[in-house]
Amino acid sequence: MKACQYVEIGRPPQVVEVDKPTPGPGEVLLRVTASGACHSDEFIMSLPESRYVYGLPLTLGHEGAGVVAELGEGATGVEIGESVAVYGPWGCGVCHACAQGKENYCRYAAERGIRPPGLGAPGSMAEYMIVDSPRHLVPLGDLDPVATVALTDAGLTPYHAIKPTLPKLLPGTVAVVIGAGGLGHMGVQILKALTAATVIALDPKEPARQLALDVGADHALPSDESSIEQIRSLSGGRGATAVFDFVGIETTTALAARMVHPESDIVVVGVGAGAVPVGFFTLPFEVRVWAPYWGSRSELEEVLELARSGAIHVETETFGLDDAPTVYERMHAGTIRGRGIVVP
Ligand code: NAD
Ligand code: ZN
């Protein structure tokens, strides 16, 4: 079968021929129907050898959807032919975090070498993929896999970031989304669907600002100093009650810190090397700052329900598997609108 693999540090990914995998005991073989390309793929492919821990060759793709093709011995709970989405942050399934469905924070995944597909285990950018347990599958029902696959990360991650801030996002408040790409354009929609806050997107690229407006942002501004003044005036002088930084570089975390008021939330989702210093003299009082990773299994179900209700959708550009490396070129150039989806 064909797979898009990262083969050599510093070189672009390649489409190669590999053996079709066979599901082991308890595992599920999916015929992949769609695979999203995330900026985190680009991030790991930018790492120097000393910091690269995902194994080579690596079949990319941590946003996956497919049709159940084969069940390994003892694998139950899904049917052959069923259309499913893959919950990506695999954990051990039994520790305290996993027992709550928070496999993204599994206590043992790291030490036991349990790796998400596309981030250690072979991913979804292939004709077939192995999922280690039916527990990591969510039925898609009548949802279109190409339109929904990105919800497994570009939807789930912003949802998980936004959920704890909901009680603060009352009518009259302002929520700011920094970076209106794959995750950010979903963040805008999730905020609009779940809150009465005014949603302001910041992005240096005009097409990304237009995308934010198209999917429901109330305002879209350049990502610079000038936006701070505008955010203050759009919030009656108060500032942003929650900031979701989907870039996470020094300039954006610094910007986030300057637009908040006492008791605001700053959520750093992007994996740039930025940071928000917390201390008595650094931020308005009681600002909460955190950096979440992905989301829980039950939250993925909630995100899929939001899509099913029509409240959110992913803006997609589709590519064949042979063109998978092009998605990353386009992502690097910043010319993808929403999410690039590979359809084998
Ligand atoms: P993307 O490439 O689709 O979008 C990035 C957007 O940010 C683009 O629109 C770009 O123009 C914009 N941008 C760049 N510099 C900016 C700046 N200074 N100010 C404002 N906007 C700026 O990327 P994506 O797939 O949405 O991923 C976003 C980030 O989230 C990446 O860092 C990715 O690695 C990270 N991520 C984190 C998690 C997590 O669990 N924490 C999960 C998935 C992705
Ligand atoms: Zn991702």
Side-chain angles (χ1 to χ4, degrees):
M1 68 166 190
K2 281 182 191 170
C4 177
Q5 291 193 329
Y6 184 45
V7 181
E8 197 184 327
I9 301 285
R11 305 284 299 234
Q14 299 170 21
V15 177
V16 296
E17 199 62 41
V18 297
D19 290 339
K20 179 180 163 187
T22 308
E27 295 179 340
V28 180
L29 179 75
L30 297 185
R31 177 177 59 75
V32 175
T33 47
S35 175
C38 178
H39 209 111
S40 300
D41 299 334
E42 163 147 336
F43 170 75
I44 67 169
M45 290 190 280
S46 74
L47 291 171
E49 199 158 1
S50 56
R51 289 181 58 205
Y52 181 84
V53 295
Y54 308 93
L56 289 174
L58 172 71
T59 299
L60 294 165
H62 57 267
E63 291 180 347
V67 167
V68 176
E70 270 179 56
L71 295 170
E73 198 191 319
T76 55
V78 285
E79 303 290 329
I80 303 279
E82 194 171 348
S83 175
V84 291
V86 180
Y87 172 77
W90 296 350
C92 73
V94 291
C95 73
H96 190 258
C98 286
Q100 299 169 79
K102 299 178 186 172
E103 298 203 24
N104 50 326
Y105 298 141
C106 173
R107 181 166 169 187
Y108 299 111
E111 69 184 64
R112 294 190 192 162
I114 304 169
R115 293 284 194 173
L119 295 166
S124 54
M125 238 171 245
E127 290 175 270
Y128 291 87
M129 74 178 289
I130 296 284
V131 174
D132 66 343
S133 165
R135 183 178 85 241
H136 295 140
L137 298 173
V138 182
L140 280 178
D142 54 6
L143 287 173
D144 172 10
V146 177
T148 34
V149 65
L151 295 176
T152 59
D153 179 15
L156 175 57
T157 301
Y159 183 82
H160 176 75
I162 288 166
K163 210 172 161 185
T165 71
L166 293 178
K168 291 185 184 179
L169 292 175
L170 302 171
T173 60
V174 160
V176 173
V177 167
I178 303 180
L183 272 67
H185 91 293
M186 297 311 300
V188 165
Q189 294 178 70
I190 293 164
L191 285 163
K192 289 304 290 183
L194 301 182
T195 80
T198 297
V199 177
I200 304 176
L202 306 186
D203 202 296
K205 297 214 164 178
E206 201 284 324
R209 293 199 294 273
Q210 187 57 51
L211 170 62
L213 293 171
D214 291 346
V215 298
D218 297 291
H219 304 274
L221 306 171
S223 183
D224 57 34
E225 296 285 309
S226 69
S227 67
I228 297 179
E229 213 38 58
Q230 292 193 64
I231 288 163
R232 294 237 176 254
S233 86
L234 289 165
S235 57
R238 199 160 173 237
T241 297
V243 183
F244 305 92
D245 184 350
F246 294 108
V247 183
I249 58 177
E250 274 175 41
T251 49
T252 57
T253 54
L255 213 55
R258 291 185 49 207
M259 61 177 72
V260 290
H261 58 71
E263 296 185 283
S264 292
D265 288 335
I266 299 176
V267 194
V268 182
V269 181
V271 303
V276 181
V278 177
F280 200 85
F281 298 104
T282 58
L283 287 169
F285 294 121
E286 276 191 51
V287 169
R288 290 193 300 175
V289 181
W290 70 97
Y293 171 64
W294 224 329
S296 70
R297 278 166 50 206
S298 52
E299 285 169 336
L300 177 55
E301 291 186 10
E302 293 161 26
V303 170
L304 291 173
E305 286 306 327
L306 262 186
R308 195 166 273 121
S309 75
I312 60 170
H313 74 280
V314 187
E315 288 282 324
T316 59
E317 285 192 44
T318 54
F319 300 79
L321 188 49
D322 287 327
D323 289 329
T326 320
V327 188
Y328 293 106
E329 284 169 30
R330 292 271 314 277
M331 179 184 288
H332 188 73
T335 61
I336 301 246
R337 180 180 157 94
R339 204 52 145 186
I341 309 294
V342 171
V343 184

